[in-house]
Amino acid sequence: MNVADSGHMAGILKQDGYEITQNEAAADVVLLNTCSIRDLAEEKVFSKLGELKERKVDEPNLVLGVCGCMATNLKKGIFKRAPYVDILCGPRSSKHLPRMINDVFEKGRSQVEVEPNEALEEFLPSVRESAFKAWVNITQGCDERCTYCVVPNTRGDQASRQPQSIIDEIKGLAEQGYKEVTLLGQTVNAYGLELAEPYPFSKLIESIQAIDGIEWIRFVTSHPKYVTPDFIEMFAKFPKVAPFLHLPYQAGSNRILKRMARRYTREEYIEKINALRAACPDLNLSTDIIVGFPEETEEEFQETLDVYKEAQFDSSFCFKYSQRPNTPAMNFKDTVPEAVKKERLERLLALQKEIAYVRNLKNLGKVHRVLFENVGRKEGSLRGHNQYNQVVISSGGPELIGQFRDVLIVENSPMTLYGEIKN
Ligand code: 5AD
Ligand code: SF4
C-alpha cells in the first residue's frame, strides 16, 4: 500500500514537471512516506528526520515533507519534535503536493493537509517501478475499527473507486504490456459495499478476468469476515486469480478476537480456510498475527499456536502488540510485559519456520509458472515470483525479464525456491 502511495506521489509530482531522483543528496524536495502501524515505524521516521535536519543547515531551501499515516496520526504534533519540517500531507491528500511545495516558497513553511477523510480521487497518475507488475488501489480507508489499529484514524473511512474507473485503468495497463495486477485495499474484499450502487468484489474480479493481456490477478489485504461463498468460488472459477491469499487471523483465542473487534471466531476462520482449500487445493496461505495483545494469557497464546498448526500457513507476518494513540485498545492496559511478548514472538516464529519448511518440500519436482522480474544476485541468474507469490531463482538471460516461463523446482530454502526453466 505504501509503495503504491509513494508511486502516486511521484506520479503527481512528475505530472507537475518534477524529476524523480534516486540520489537523496541531490533532491531539492524530500518527502518521507510514513507508517504509523507500530511505534517503531514512527520512531524510525523521527530518526531519519534528525538526519535530514543536518542538511537544512547548509541548504535552507531544501523542502522537507512528512507524508502518509504519520501526518494524519500526529498532525501538528510532528512540528513539536521536528519544527524544521515544511509539509505535512496525509495519505489521501497527495494531490495537493505540487501546490503545497509552491506555497512553502510563496507563503512560508508549515503547509498542512491532514484530513483523513479527504474525498477519494478516482484516478491518480503513478510512477511504477515495474513495466509488467502493477499495484492498483481500489479502496481507501477502512471501516473495520479493529481495536488495536490506527489505520481507520489515519486513512479514514472506506471509500471505493467506481468499478469502471478501475477497469479502465487496468485495460490501460494491459495495453502498456502489464501482465500482473495486485489490487490494494485495507479490506480489499469489502470493495464496493459502501458505494451508492454496491458492487461486489467478485464481480470486479470477473471484469478484470476478461481483460486481455492481464494473466495474474492478486489482491491484498482480505478480511475473513468478507470471505463469502462468491469470494471463495473465485479461486476455482477464474483462472487468472492466482492461488495465493493473505488472510490475517491476528489471534487464536475467541476472547482476544472479540476484544480486538475482529468479528469472527476461531472456528469460523478455520471453516473459511477449509472451504478455500476445497475450492483451490494448492492455495498458498499467508497471515498476520499479533502477540501480546492486552491481557493475552499463556493459554490464549497457545490457541494462536494451535490455529497456526491447524491452518498450516505457508508464510506469515508476526508482530508484538504496540499500543497506538487514539485507538479503542488504549482503554485496555498494555499488560503483557515486553519480555513475554518477545518470547511469544520467538515461539511463533519457530513454528512458522518449521511449518513453512515442511510445506515447501512439496514444491520439489513440481513445475511452477514464473514471471521473471529482474536479474538475480549471481551472474546469469534471474529472479521472479511463481503463481503462489513465492520467490523463484533460476539461471537465464535478461531477455526473459517480464516474461512467463515454466520452471522445474529443484531446490528449496525457507524463503526461496530454485529451479530450471523448462519452456
Ligand atoms: N500492534 C501490532 N501490530 C499491529 N498491526 C496493526 N496494528 C498493530 C498494533 N497496534 C498488524 C496487524 C495488521 C498488520 C498490517 O499490522 O497484524 O494485519
Ligand atoms: Fe486495521 Fe482492522 Fe482495518 Fe486491517 S481491517 S486496516 S487491522 S482496522
Side-chain angles (χ1 to χ4, degrees):
M1 178 73 73
N2 286 8
V3 172
D5 286 350
S6 298
H8 286 311
M9 288 158 54
I12 289 162
L13 290 172
K14 201 170 170 195
Q15 201 176 48
D16 203 59
Y18 286 86
E19 195 186 319
I20 313 301
T21 174
Q22 299 303 320
N23 177 6
E24 187 186 310
D28 305 309
V29 177
V30 177
L31 303 174
L32 303 183
N33 189 15
T34 63
C35 172
S36 294
I37 201 92
R38 282 168 291 276
D39 185 53
L40 190 66
E42 291 193 342
E43 286 310 314
K44 278 188 191 160
V45 173
F46 280 117
S47 102
K48 180 73 193 177
L49 284 172
E51 218 180 272
L52 287 161
K53 179 185 170 192
E54 302 297 313
R55 259 185 77 185
K56 279 228 154 189
V57 178
D58 300 326
E59 302 167 64
N61 283 339
L62 174 73
V63 177
L64 188 52
V66 174
C67 305
C69 285
M70 265 174 85
T72 42
N73 191 36
L74 304 178
K75 303 195 171 68
K76 291 188 179 169
I78 291 175
F79 293 141
K80 282 204 198 108
R81 276 184 73 179
Y84 45 87
V85 166
D86 303 297
I87 289 176
L88 299 181
C89 181
R92 274 158 92 154
S93 306
S94 304
K95 59 177 177 251
H96 300 302
L97 281 171
R99 188 217 5 105
M100 291 170 90
I101 296 169
N102 277 341
D103 283 353
V104 169
F105 292 108
E106 286 172 16
K107 298 187 183 158
R109 306 237 324 261
S110 309
Q111 296 299 320
V112 178
E113 289 287 350
V114 290
E115 170 50 55
N117 272 313
E118 172 125 20
L120 175 83
E121 286 295 298
E122 273 302 330
F123 176 82
L124 287 173
S126 196
V127 170
R128 292 186 162 95
E129 252 174 53
S130 164
F132 36 88
K133 282 173 74 141
W135 307 103
V136 177
N137 265 303
I138 66 166
T139 66
Q140 291 288 349
C142 181
D143 284 342
E144 288 304 312
R145 309 252 171 320
C146 303
T147 54
Y148 51 79
C149 185
V150 80
V151 167
N153 304 345
T154 62
R155 290 181 176 270
D157 301 331
Q158 177 168 307
S160 300
R161 288 173 64 188
Q162 290 297 327
Q164 199 55 50
S165 152
I166 299 167
I167 292 161
D168 289 347
E169 178 171 359
I170 297 175
K171 277 187 183 156
L173 289 167
E175 277 159 22
Q176 291 168 49
Y178 281 86
K179 294 176 175 163
E180 176 186 323
V181 287
T182 301
L183 309 180
L184 298 175
Q186 300 299 330
T187 47
V188 75
N189 56 338
Y191 167 80
L193 296 177
E194 88 302 332
L195 286 172
E197 276 181 58
Y199 196 93
F201 182 67
S202 57
K203 210 167 143 195
L204 181 71
I205 297 291
E206 186 170 8
S207 310
I208 300 170
Q209 161 78 31
I211 299 174
D212 285 342
I214 298 299
E215 299 199 35
W216 277 348
I217 306 168
R218 306 186 196 272
F219 36 83
V220 276
T221 291
S222 298
H223 189 294
K225 190 173 152 231
Y226 305 99
V227 173
T228 47
D230 61 320
F231 177 89
I232 294 169
E233 201 188 18
M234 293 185 330
F235 288 92
K237 199 163 147 192
F238 304 129
K240 292 182 183 176
V241 171
F244 167 75
L245 180 64
H246 182 63
L247 194 67
Y249 76 98
Q250 311 294 7
S253 136
N254 284 338
R255 187 180 78 99
I256 297 292
L257 284 171
K258 197 156 187 194
R259 284 160 59 81
M260 288 178 161
R262 288 292 290 177
R263 300 196 282 159
Y264 52 82
T265 61
R266 162 189 178 162
E267 292 76 19
E268 283 162 348
Y269 183 89
I270 294 286
E271 206 178 289
K272 285 183 178 183
I273 59 167
N274 287 342
L276 282 157
R277 286 220 166 102
C280 180
D282 64 343
L283 185 71
N284 183 300
L285 206 55
S286 97
T287 197
D288 287 347
I289 300 157
I290 298 174
V291 301
F293 187 78
E295 284 182 23
E296 183 188 67
T297 63
E298 170 59 25
E299 291 70 33
E300 286 167 335
F301 171 66
Q302 285 286 346
E303 291 192 68
T304 294
L305 296 177
D306 291 344
V307 169
Y308 204 102
K309 286 181 203 151
E310 198 172 348
Q312 291 284 306
F313 293 102
D314 294 280
S315 60
S316 55
F317 299 92
C318 308
F319 310 103
K320 288 182 286 185
Y321 172 70
S322 162
Q323 195 163 45
R324 307 309 293 130
N326 305 319
T327 55
M330 282 292 284
N331 295 327
F332 306 139
K333 255 174 81 188
D334 192 2
T335 53
V336 181
E338 180 60 24
V340 176
K341 286 181 186 167
K342 188 164 171 269
E343 183 255 350
R344 288 183 188 165
L345 185 68
E346 279 163 9
R347 280 154 73 199
L348 185 56
L349 292 176
L351 180 68
Q352 172 205 54
K353 234 169 136 181
E354 193 184 309
I355 291 179
Y357 175 76
V358 175
R359 285 188 63 78
N360 244 336
L361 289 177
K362 73 176 184 307
N363 294 314
L364 291 175
K366 295 262 166 66
V367 173
H368 290 177
R369 193 92 177 131
V370 175
L371 175 55
F372 286 112
E373 288 147 35
N374 38 39
V375 290
R377 243 178 276 158
K378 250 182 40 204
E379 194 159 336
S381 74
L382 285 176
R383 186 180 178 279
H385 281 84
N386 63 11
Q387 65 268 49
Y388 308 110
N389 211 27
Q390 295 167 299
V391 175
V392 180
I393 310 278
S394 151
S395 53
E399 69 284 356
L400 293 182
I401 291 174
Q403 306 228 0
F404 286 97
R405 285 292 182 274
D406 289 331
V407 175
L408 175 70
I409 304 301
V410 294
E411 201 187 320
N412 261 337
S413 77
M415 299 301 288
T416 311
L417 303 175
Y418 299 87
E420 293 161 5
I421 295 176
K422 287 288 134 194
N423 55 59

